[in-house]
Amino acid sequence: MAAGAQAMSISRIYTGGCQCGAVRYRVEGTLGDPHLCHCRMCQKAAGNYFLPLANAPRDRFTMTRGEAGWFQSSEIVRRGFCRDCGTPLFYDALAADHINVTLGSLDDPDDVRPVAQAGVESRLVWFAQLAKLPESESEDGEFGAARHIVVRASNRQHPDYDTDHWPPEDIP
């Protein structure tokens, strides 16, 4: 558990997967220790400033579609991702009784709120200033609305729920 974190979790069913829908998973029960990891390995694995993670007990975790690709990032950890679209999905400390899922890969990422931060020695110094940056919505700006319409009409992203078949026959 991340330093100073309290186990915040809700017992229920969580589903998630990659952007293209080739890899899907399900967790029954609890997602524990939801946290943001700022360590340099997680930054690189996510291609981002931090990686949001939560623990899923192995005996409650099931792959429901496809197979993850794996990268052995250290002797004791491997990281799972979709081989087709590259979505980071799992942080697997091999000796642990749980696997970590990336919170952004959940169908409803707002369901699990991080309660701690780890690896803060690598946290970017300007990270605390994010809340002060100007904000805009996807459709804002000179080309925002037109671009958003084109993206929405040609969207090949898997929906945020389980499907019997993906992609639909009408998507090339």
Side-chain angles (χ1 to χ4, degrees):
M1 182 176 286
Q6 295 179 346
M8 179 182 155
S9 58
I10 299 172
S11 185
R12 56 169 284 193
I13 294 175
Y14 297 92
T15 58
C18 66
Q19 186 174 20
C20 75
V23 179
R24 298 281 300 158
Y25 65 88
R26 172 186 175 106
V27 178
E28 295 181 32
T30 300
L31 285 176
D33 188 25
H35 65 281
L36 306 178
C37 185
H38 296 273
C39 83
R40 191 64 185 130
M41 287 184 86
C42 280
Q43 289 173 352
K44 294 287 276 190
N48 214 317
Y49 303 125
F50 59 87
L51 185 59
L53 299 163
N55 301 339
R58 287 189 194 279
D59 63 349
R60 307 301 242 149
F61 173 84
T62 309
M63 296 296 298
T64 59
R65 179 182 295 146
E67 292 183 24
W70 294 97
F71 172 68
Q72 192 83 32
S73 60
S74 71
E75 186 176 321
I76 61 172
V77 172
R78 66 181 185 158
R79 294 171 186 268
F81 61 95
C82 175
R83 286 186 182 103
D84 293 342
C85 68
T87 302
L89 297 166
F90 313 115
Y91 171 97
D92 188 12
L94 300 171
D97 61 353
H98 61 270
I99 185 169
N100 284 273
V101 299
T102 59
L103 297 180
S105 71
L106 292 171
D107 288 338
D108 191 353
D110 207 28
D111 276 353
V112 183
R113 186 175 303 180
V115 298
Q117 297 182 67
V120 296
E121 70 282 354
S122 298
R123 183 173 49 208
L124 300 175
V125 295
W126 52 263
F127 188 77
Q129 304 302 314
L130 288 178
K132 296 178 182 176
L133 294 177
E135 297 179 343
S136 64
E137 294 193 8
S138 298
E139 296 184 22
D140 291 350
E142 183 179 350
F143 301 106
R147 181 179 176 278
H148 192 68
I149 290 168
V150 171
V151 169
R152 193 172 24 196
S154 64
N155 183 359
R156 291 180 182 86
Q157 181 168 301
H158 188 274
D160 287 330
Y161 53 85
D162 285 330
T163 56
D164 291 332
H165 176 73
W166 191 260
E169 285 74 28
D170 61 340
I171 293 181

